[in-house]
Amino acid sequence: MEQEVILSVKDLNVKFSLRGQVLHAIRGISLDIYKGESLAIVGESGSGKSVFTKNFIGLLDKNGWVDSGEIWYNGMDLAKFKTEKEWTKIRGKEVAMVMQDPMTSLNPLKTIGWQIEEALKLHQGLTGEAAKQRAIEIIDDVGIPEPERRYKQYPHEFSGGMRQRVVIAIAMACNPKILICDEPTTALDVTIQAQILNLIRELQKKYQLTTIYITHDLGVVANVADRIAVMYAGDIVEIGTCNEVFYAPQHPYTWALLSSLPQLGIKGEDLYSIKGTPPNLFNKVRGDAFAPRNPHALKIDFLHRPPYFEVSPTHKARTWLLDPRAPKVEPPNTSIAKAMESHQKHAAANTKKISNEKLVEVKDLVVQFGSNRNPFVAVKGVSFDIYKGETFGLVGESGSGKTTIGRAIIRINPTSAGEVIFKGEKINGKIPHELDKRVTQQIQMIFQDPMASLNERAKVDYIVSEGLMNVQKHLTKEEREAKVSKALSDVGLLPEFASRFPHEFSGGQRQRIGVARSLIMEPEFIIADEPISALDVSIRAQVLNLLSSLQKERGLTYLFISHDLSVMRFIADRIAVIHKGVIVELADTEELFAYPLHPYTRALLSAIPQPDPKSEKHKVLEVYDPSIHNYTVDKPSWVEIRPKHYITCNKHELEQYQETLARAGKEG
């Protein structure tokens, strides 16, 4: 069956002029997009994914232009469009885009209903009551409950996931033929992410949409894509059906991307990470752009750009390894099923011996915000211990209170009740100046967003040594500089980076600067708050490896805060699952994955995107509904249900969990 082409790109070259230099962002891409398909464009930051698709709706920056090539849609060459008037016919009406950050795409001063109606008026000519009814229908379509009430609300009254649904609703109001989703789930929790992906898939079926996903997350792709295009340095290096790219990848870059996933990691060993950095696109790229980072590169890779070699009618890759004359290279094993088997085998052997010495004790901790008359209780009587040398994971969705706990331990957030004990001394509330100084040095925090947590106007040298200047005032300039260059080289950065500013670095490098800033204080305990959620797959692997190796060398103890359980499985020794300020379950990592009992833990686990199309396309999401707990008479308590496996439940629930365990024991 011949598929109908809806949009055809021919030899597209896009350039940008930046600071007097020309950047070659898209280097001769040709691609046909078929009607009704779901195409995923995968690649790391800076590979050109967003720039490529922005050409379809005329949203290139004013510094960018199409240097050559064609983009055919409906008999028109979009590459020749120059004026806003021409683009108005296409943008929204024919091709719509859902952006990454829903907050910046919505007008905070207008109601949701008004914003959807505006799109209906502009693109479908609907006004008055007809527009209102259609807007309410669309709000219902995108899965927002109580559409009539929500219609009158403003963006700030919605959660992140709900705002993303609103942005999708506005795009759908235009009734487009092609929907481009630019990282539509990056900023969302795992459970919400799974729901948004299901939603887009349902809308695609209902309206016969063609969807283009832009993402760096291969788990997301396994769920939604019919075909996958892998981008590197402004070029598509491999394209094939979802199964072909996952189960028989051909390009060394695709191998590297799949190999860096934490799901393939073995605890206690380094994750695979791609060495080197992407090429500088201000310079002319010779040969294969990936060659300098490719351990299998041939001589010809450095001289001539490889053509596409066809693997099957639907699958081709730009690599000289597919040339009949090339030596045979065995691709790495990127099978998730095999990785899971080895997880179980290695789990017991690689379990770290944790000391019995408690480094941090949190007892009945309560944190509340707002006035005493109308308080918001963010953390409700939480207790746990962290032992010296372990990595303690704290997992939960946005708003669950996990960051609040981290900030309370490090004394940024005041506590309302309970105790935080560090090395036997109480450190929350009012404490002597001497103890405060000692705690500041021995407990450090790595923040989530490497962009927002670094002072843009300060050089790296100052950023990294600022803490030292406050605590060790006696140091000479030379001693301080020596410590800075040691901290930088410890995290894999060059000492000469000390004289640069944060904006001159990539996201992964900025996060390393954040790690160096904590290390220079020689702390014993580090709170890592979502330290890798803003990073690309291969950079994530590097940062996780860095944190593991530092722990081995220095005997560090971590509190690792995240919403991503696949990363937690790789790095944490024990995991506490937190929901709305209450820890609902706590166990050793492998125990928690083998016997998740609390329905919230099960919902989180069911939503983890697996980079395996077969399991991903058939997975059943468990959705957590807090109303299943009836705690009116039978009150919940904190129970040890198996050795070192704790859960919050009442008597009735405890019996049910014990039955579940007994069944699992019989089956296991």
Side-chain angles (χ1 to χ4, degrees):
M1 187 186 101
E2 191 58 36
Q3 284 178 290
E4 184 187 336
V5 173
I6 187 168
L7 187 134
S8 181
V9 181
K10 296 194 168 128
D11 199 20
L12 185 69
N13 284 280
V14 177
K15 293 185 174 173
F16 284 83
S17 164
L18 297 167
R19 297 193 291 277
Q21 287 182 290
V22 172
L23 177 91
H24 197 164
I26 300 295
R27 303 182 303 119
I29 291 184
S30 297
L31 174 70
D32 283 344
I33 295 168
Y34 302 114
K35 191 175 178 180
E37 80 162 334
S38 157
L39 170 78
I41 301 178
V42 184
E44 297 176 278
S45 311
S47 61
K49 318 182 286 293
S50 299
V51 170
F52 177 53
T53 48
K54 279 178 177 170
N55 289 291
F56 307 164
I57 49 172
L59 283 182
L60 270 188
D61 289 351
K62 56 182 187 299
N63 302 332
W65 69 94
V66 174
D67 196 54
S68 63
E70 302 163 8
I71 305 167
W72 289 97
Y73 175 79
N74 235 351
M76 299 174 280
D77 180 3
L78 307 185
K80 293 204 165 47
F81 280 21
K82 292 284 181 277
T83 63
E84 271 301 300
K85 196 175 169 194
E86 289 174 295
W87 279 115
T88 319
K89 294 187 211 125
I90 296 289
R91 192 183 299 144
K93 193 174 290 184
E94 301 288 331
V95 185
M97 194 164 194
V98 174
M99 300 290 190
Q100 184 167 354
D101 180 3
M103 211 44 205
T104 51
S105 334
L106 295 171
N107 182 340
L109 305 176
K110 300 284 187 199
T111 63
I112 295 304
W114 186 92
Q115 299 189 50
I116 297 174
E117 278 185 33
E118 187 187 30
L120 289 169
K121 193 159 68 192
L122 203 64
H123 297 289
Q124 295 189 36
L126 290 179
T127 52
E129 192 54 32
K132 182 180 176 178
Q133 284 315 313
R134 181 71 189 117
I136 289 172
E137 259 174 59
I138 294 174
I139 295 174
D140 191 35
D141 251 3
V142 297
I144 295 176
E146 303 178 69
E148 283 88 356
R149 184 173 72 84
R150 292 299 221 166
Y151 169 88
K152 303 186 189 103
Q153 290 186 321
Y154 291 87
H156 70 265
E157 298 178 71
F158 286 72
S159 68
M162 284 298 169
R163 280 201 288 263
Q164 194 58 291
R165 286 171 190 262
V166 172
V167 174
I168 293 169
I170 294 171
M172 293 310 299
C174 307
N175 204 8
K177 313 284 183 297
I178 299 177
L179 182 66
I180 301 169
C181 303
D182 188 357
E183 299 271 12
T185 58
T186 304
L188 305 176
D189 287 319
V190 197
T191 47
I192 310 288
Q193 170 175 314
Q195 292 166 24
I196 295 283
L197 293 174
N198 280 349
L199 165 69
I200 296 174
R201 214 189 293 110
E202 282 159 23
L203 292 171
Q204 183 180 10
K205 279 194 197 113
K206 184 169 177 181
Y207 294 102
Q208 272 96 51
L209 279 171
T210 303
T211 49
I212 301 172
Y213 283 89
I214 301 171
T215 179
H216 62 260
D217 187 334
L218 284 149
V220 167
V221 169
N223 186 315
V224 295
D226 301 320
R227 278 197 309 154
I228 298 174
V230 180
M231 276 189 81
Y232 183 78
D235 190 11
I236 291 177
V237 294
E238 179 162 7
I239 184 160
T241 65
C242 190
N243 284 359
E244 284 169 336
V245 172
F246 271 100
Y247 300 136
Q250 300 293 330
H251 196 284
Y253 177 61
T254 315
W255 297 346
L257 267 190
L258 285 163
S259 303
S260 332
L261 292 166
Q263 288 94 327
L264 291 170
I266 291 172
K267 208 174 200 148
E269 294 176 22
D270 270 1
L271 271 178
Y272 176 84
S273 72
I274 308 175
K275 306 289 176 276
T277 53
N280 179 346
L281 294 179
F282 283 116
N283 306 333
K284 191 166 169 33
V285 176
R286 275 193 75 183
D288 179 356
F290 189 59
R293 308 174 73 187
N294 176 7
H296 309 292
L298 309 168
K299 271 193 187 137
I300 189 168
D301 278 316
F302 294 93
L303 302 169
H304 299 289
R305 183 182 186 179
Y308 281 117
F309 289 92
E310 196 173 280
V311 185
S312 80
T314 50
H315 188 187
K316 59 183 184 177
R318 235 190 226 287
T319 169
W320 286 114
L321 288 177
L322 288 173
D323 189 296
R325 295 163 296 182
K328 287 283 162 277
V329 172
E330 189 58 36
N333 174 20
T334 50
S335 148
I336 283 290
K338 289 196 178 126
M340 286 304 160
E341 280 171 33
S342 79
H343 265 312
Q344 270 123 24
K345 273 194 211 123
H346 290 270
N350 284 337
T351 303
K352 274 202 310 235
K353 294 283 174 281
I354 305 293
S355 84
N356 295 331
E357 185 188 333
K358 290 179 186 173
L359 188 71
V360 179
E361 298 166 70
V362 173
K363 295 181 176 172
D364 303 319
L365 186 70
V366 178
V367 181
Q368 65 181 43
F369 299 104
S371 62
N372 286 340
R373 287 212 342 256
N374 187 13
F376 167 68
V377 185
V379 178
K380 305 168 184 170
V382 159
S383 302
F384 57 85
D385 300 327
I386 301 176
Y387 295 94
K388 199 170 169 47
E390 82 166 329
T391 300
F392 184 85
L394 193 54
V395 176
E397 296 175 291
S398 312
S400 61
K402 52 189 192 303
T403 298
T404 307
I405 292 174
R407 293 169 78 100
I409 294 175
I410 203 168
R411 302 175 50 76
I412 297 175
N413 287 347
T415 55
S416 314
E419 292 184 314
V420 178
I421 294 167
F422 177 65
K423 291 168 64 173
E425 292 181 282
K426 178 173 177 292
I427 59 165
N428 58 326
K430 279 203 164 65
I431 59 172
H433 176 69
E434 202 42 54
L435 177 61
D436 188 33
K437 199 170 151 185
R438 205 161 66 236
V439 168
T440 307
Q441 185 238 309
Q442 291 176 349
I443 304 180
Q444 287 288 310
M445 192 159 188
I446 301 167
F447 295 93
Q448 175 169 3
D449 180 356
M451 206 50 206
S453 62
L454 301 179
N455 178 349
E456 278 303 305
R457 295 182 175 174
K459 289 185 176 165
V460 168
D461 171 53
Y462 178 81
I463 292 171
V464 173
S465 64
E466 191 178 3
L468 267 188
M469 294 187 228
N470 295 331
V471 178
Q472 301 184 6
K473 294 179 177 155
H474 59 274
L475 287 178
T476 65
K477 186 166 176 279
E478 287 71 29
E479 287 171 326
R480 193 175 53 87
E481 282 173 1
K483 280 186 181 269
V484 170
S485 34
K486 181 171 184 329
L488 289 176
S489 59
D490 280 351
V491 298
L493 294 173
L494 299 169
E496 57 260 33
F497 288 177
S499 58
R500 294 192 193 170
F501 289 95
H503 68 82
E504 299 178 57
F505 294 93
S506 68
Q509 289 172 318
R510 280 200 290 264
Q511 196 54 294
R512 285 166 186 261
I513 295 167
V515 177
R517 175 173 59 183
S518 343
L519 284 181
I520 201 164
M521 304 297 286
E522 296 179 9
E524 290 182 40
F525 179 51
I526 292 183
I527 299 167
D529 184 8
E530 298 266 15
I532 56 169
S533 60
L535 307 175
D536 280 323
V537 190
S538 65
I539 313 270
R540 274 181 190 192
Q542 292 170 16
V543 174
L544 286 174
N545 290 344
L546 171 69
L547 293 174
S548 304
S549 67
L550 290 169
Q551 184 170 42
K552 283 178 199 150
E553 283 164 29
R554 303 189 175 199
L556 292 170
T557 306
Y558 291 129
L559 168 60
F560 199 94
I561 298 170
S562 175
H563 64 262
D564 185 343
L565 272 160
S566 58
V567 168
M568 277 296 188
R569 182 171 198 169
F570 177 75
I571 199 160
D573 300 303
R574 286 189 303 146
I575 296 177
V577 179
I578 183 167
H579 180 256
K580 298 228 161 112
V582 176
I583 291 184
V584 294
E585 192 160 4
L586 189 162
D588 287 349
T589 302
E590 287 305 317
E591 162 85 12
L592 191 76
F593 275 82
Y595 304 108
L597 291 171
H598 197 281
Y600 179 63
T601 310
R602 300 175 72 91
L604 281 183
L605 284 169
S606 80
I608 297 176
Q610 291 296 356
D612 179 7
K614 286 187 189 121
S615 71
E616 200 54 26
K617 294 220 169 31
H618 299 116
K619 83 166 171 193
V620 181
L621 267 187
E622 291 192 28
V623 177
Y624 176 56
D625 175 9
S627 66
I628 58 170
H629 305 290
N630 181 0
Y631 291 156
T632 39
V633 181
D634 190 359
K635 297 287 183 219
S637 60
W638 188 233
V639 182
E640 185 169 12
I641 192 162
R642 269 168 65 98
K644 299 203 306 202
H645 187 160
Y646 299 87
I647 190 160
T648 297
C649 61
N650 61 17
K651 283 204 181 69
H652 171 65
E653 289 172 335
L654 179 62
E655 285 163 16
Q656 289 177 315
Y657 296 147
Q658 282 166 333
E659 275 173 36
T660 307
L661 281 173
R663 280 201 304 276
K666 284 193 187 96
E667 288 159 17

